[in-house]
Amino acid sequence: MESISSVDPSLASVPSDESTLSVPSEESQAKRELELLARNVQYLDTALIQTNVARLSQQVAHITGALKSTLARVTGQGITEVAAAAGVAAQDGPGPSSNGADGTEVGAAKPLDTVAPPGLAPGGVTGRAKVQKMSAEVVDSNPYSRLMALQRMGIVKDYERIRNKTVAVVGVGGVGSVAAEMLTRCGVGRLLIYDYDKVELANMNRLFFRPEHCGMTKTDAARKTLQEINPDVEVESYTMNITTLKGFEAFKSSLLGPDGNSRVDLILSCVDNYEARITINQVCLELKQNWMESGVSEDAVSGHIQTLIPGVTACFQCVPPLVVASGIDERTLKREGVCAASLPTTMGIVAGLLVQAALKYMLDFGSVSGYLGYNSLKDHFPTMEIKPSEACVNSLCCQLQREEEARRNSAVAAAAAPLHEENEWGIEVVSQDETPSINPAAATVSAPTPAPTPSSVSISDLTEHRPAAAAAAGTGTTAATLAAGVEFSMPTERGVDAVTLAAEGIGQVEATTEDLMQQLLSLSAGGRSL
């Protein structure tokens, strides 16, 4: 053994069993060898041995996990697909797409695996299998029970409609990554994520990303994590810079469906610069696509979300940011060694407000604000509606405004038109003071005479509308006809009928009110004289 030979060079060669038996003098040498071995064992570092054993265990666990992952991929995708994926990964790095000359990744989207073995998420990650239909059953194994409770409580009419929705999240940073995770946990049908940057340790103050993601593109890291969270969501990741000419066209084409129209229900803008916002604004105007914009201030204590509907609300160029409106180039504000502040609390709050508005918009519950701000220093949430500007610098926005105005005018004209052009029965409505027609061929529906309100009741009104039975019982004369739809009958439960009322009640007399007052005065004077 090396340890023994290093201690005593004379023991480098160990005699054979035959020589040991044949030469009795070598027994002492064997005994001395055992003594040296026992002495070396005493000097072994127990802590070092335990550390090495722990490292070895970790390596074994890593190899075991890799073998399980490979086996799962072979089971779910086939040996050919796994070999092809391994070859692409070895050739191009973390993503299967290639980059253009300008740094824009122009490869196809990378959708999630569509098949997973039972008990495994796509990609061999331990998780759950796909759920074919959302259920409201309250069991621990149902990932949608608490979401479907919104339907049972009357908040949402049909929550499962979210599986038919497609949302694009542009910018997978502090706000976009959290928004994408929330939408994934809510079970949105398809999610498109866009970014061009890579994960760095400087991003660890935010939510979602983890240290092991460093060096990966944000879209690949987000896709991997979202895939593990909810395999029911179809995720398409695009690593591209949308502000370049090539990126603009690639971004626009990725939003189109087979029919040439937008296949996206809503776009969430979570970018951090003016150029990217202008790009999204232009694409949405060209596709007539509704979108929501979000942002966090550089001091990380305030933020906002805004809903933009082309032609109906202001586009992003109708009311530009103050810096841009002042003619200042946004890029000149950045200084070397100076970065914007970032708080995970503010990022999470703005992302929550954004996804909450998106859910209300897509599932038709509650009200969606045109603009919702957040000021953490004062706990203030201002809201406002921002109307489009007729002087917008974007000609396409002005054109959509004119189209929307024409649509509204046509809707108003349609509402003012008669409901029925033909009037076979000659029915018409006349005002109260018009003389009703007596032509039998043209039956007239006249508005009934309203009963006087308590605040405008007069003596003549009471006489005009008093019950006919009471008037007839008191005076025997015919009283005025009651208003249409009004009926009168005497109460009989307490024995007061028309005969009793005629005998004991006070009927109509010819004396005026002035005569009655004189009689009261004379009675009062007679009482005082007594």
Side-chain angles (χ1 to χ4, degrees):
M1 293 184 295
E2 294 181 359
S3 60
I4 297 176
S5 62
S6 62
V7 175
D8 190 352
S10 63
L11 300 178
S13 60
V14 181
S16 62
D17 295 340
E18 295 180 358
S19 62
T20 302
L21 295 174
S22 62
V23 184
S25 61
E26 293 183 355
E27 293 181 358
S28 59
Q29 184 177 356
K31 186 181 296 183
R32 185 172 58 177
E33 179 182 352
L34 293 175
E35 292 177 356
L36 291 175
L37 179 61
R39 193 181 307 139
N40 289 333
V41 170
Q42 293 178 356
Y43 291 103
L44 291 177
D45 189 349
T46 306
L48 180 61
I49 294 176
Q50 294 177 349
T51 302
N52 291 334
V53 170
R55 291 178 179 176
L56 181 60
S57 301
Q58 292 178 356
Q59 293 179 0
V60 171
H62 177 72
I63 294 173
T64 304
L67 291 175
K68 290 182 178 180
S69 177
T70 303
L71 179 61
R73 290 179 180 178
V74 171
T75 305
Q77 300 177 349
I79 299 177
T80 304
E81 293 184 3
V82 173
V88 173
Q91 180 179 358
D92 296 336
S97 301
S98 58
N99 294 334
D102 59 351
T104 301
E105 185 171 325
V106 297
K110 294 164 283 185
L112 289 179
D113 301 352
T114 56
V115 179
L120 292 176
V125 181
T126 302
R128 64 172 177 85
K130 288 189 174 184
V131 177
Q132 298 298 328
K133 182 176 178 58
M134 287 186 175
S135 171
E137 183 181 5
V138 182
V139 292
D140 294 340
S141 60
N142 183 8
Y144 298 111
S145 59
R146 288 168 173 79
L147 294 171
M148 295 295 287
L150 294 171
Q151 184 173 312
R152 185 182 69 254
M153 295 179 180
I155 302 299
V156 180
K157 185 177 181 180
D158 183 9
Y159 186 86
E160 198 170 5
R161 284 189 303 156
I162 197 171
R163 282 196 157 186
N164 302 325
K165 304 299 181 180
T166 300
V167 181
V169 178
V170 186
V172 194
V175 175
S177 60
V178 180
E181 179 179 352
M182 290 181 176
L183 289 169
T184 300
R185 294 185 183 277
C186 288
V188 68
R190 179 180 286 109
L191 189 63
L192 283 60
I193 53 178
Y194 300 82
D195 208 303
Y196 70 94
D197 207 357
K198 292 185 177 181
V199 181
E200 303 170 344
L201 282 177
N203 304 132
M204 293 303 110
N205 70 306
R206 301 172 179 178
L207 304 174
F208 188 76
F209 291 116
R210 299 191 297 270
E212 58 265 28
H213 293 152
C214 290
M216 299 176 63
T217 61
K218 290 184 177 180
T219 52
D220 287 341
R223 175 180 175 270
K224 178 179 180 297
T225 303
L226 299 176
Q227 172 183 359
E228 297 172 357
I229 292 174
N230 190 348
D232 299 333
V233 180
E234 297 182 17
V235 179
E236 298 179 11
S237 61
Y238 298 87
T239 303
M240 62 173 63
N241 182 3
I242 65 173
T243 60
T244 64
L245 181 60
K246 191 174 184 180
F248 177 89
E249 296 298 334
F251 173 56
K252 181 179 177 180
S253 62
S254 67
L255 299 173
L256 297 177
D259 57 353
N261 298 320
S262 176
R263 63 187 178 113
V264 176
D265 295 284
L266 190 64
I267 294 179
L268 302 184
S269 169
C270 306
V271 296
D272 59 356
N273 60 86
Y274 180 72
E275 291 178 344
R277 290 183 172 96
I278 288 298
T279 301
I280 299 172
N281 183 74
Q282 183 64 30
V283 169
C284 290
L285 288 175
E286 293 181 7
L287 299 181
K288 297 182 180 180
Q289 172 66 56
N290 299 341
W291 63 294
M292 293 183 178
E293 190 267 335
S294 65
V296 176
S297 61
E298 289 193 352
D299 56 9
V301 294
S302 61
H304 74 277
I305 63 172
Q306 182 179 350
T307 303
L308 299 99
I309 303 176
V312 179
T313 65
C315 79
F316 196 75
Q317 290 179 278
C318 286
V319 187
L322 180 61
V323 173
V324 178
S326 302
I328 302 175
D329 188 352
E330 184 183 28
R331 291 170 292 187
T332 62
L333 299 177
K334 296 183 179 181
R335 293 175 293 173
E336 187 68 24
V338 179
C339 65
S342 176
L343 277 175
T345 51
T346 307
M347 299 285 185
I349 291 173
V350 173
L353 294 176
L354 180 65
V355 176
Q356 189 82 303
L359 291 176
K360 291 191 292 183
Y361 171 82
M362 292 187 295
L363 299 179
D364 299 325
F365 70 97
S367 59
V368 180
S369 300
Y371 177 94
L372 175 61
Y374 168 62
N375 187 328
S376 65
L377 299 181
K378 299 181 180 179
D379 292 336
H380 182 49
F381 293 86
T383 59
M384 67 182 73
E385 299 293 331
I386 305 179
K387 297 185 180 293
S389 172
E390 297 180 357
C392 181
V393 297
N394 193 311
S395 59
L396 183 55
C397 176
C398 295
Q399 176 184 342
L400 293 176
Q401 291 182 43
R402 292 191 292 269
E403 293 178 0
E404 176 64 18
E405 184 178 2
R407 186 192 66 81
R408 291 178 180 176
N409 293 337
S410 61
V412 171
L419 297 179
H420 305 283
E421 296 182 357
E422 298 181 358
N423 191 3
E424 178 182 357
W425 301 98
I427 300 176
E428 60 180 0
V429 179
V430 299
S431 60
Q432 179 180 353
D433 53 353
E434 291 184 5
T435 303
S437 174
I438 57 174
N439 185 5
T444 303
V445 179
S446 59
T449 303
T453 59
S455 59
S456 60
V457 173
S458 62
I459 299 296
S460 60
D461 292 330
L462 292 176
T463 306
E464 179 82 13
H465 294 85
R466 65 194 180 107
T475 61
T477 59
T478 303
T481 306
L482 294 176
V486 178
E487 297 181 356
F488 175 79
S489 62
M490 291 298 299
T492 58
E493 294 181 357
R494 299 183 180 180
V496 180
D497 52 13
V499 178
T500 305
L501 184 62
E504 301 180 0
I506 300 175
Q508 184 177 3
V509 296
E510 296 181 357
T512 63
T513 305
E514 289 77 7
D515 296 335
L516 295 175
M517 291 300 297
Q518 290 294 334
Q519 294 180 14
L520 290 174
L521 291 175
S522 62
L523 291 175
S524 301
R528 284 196 301 268
S529 62
L530 293 176

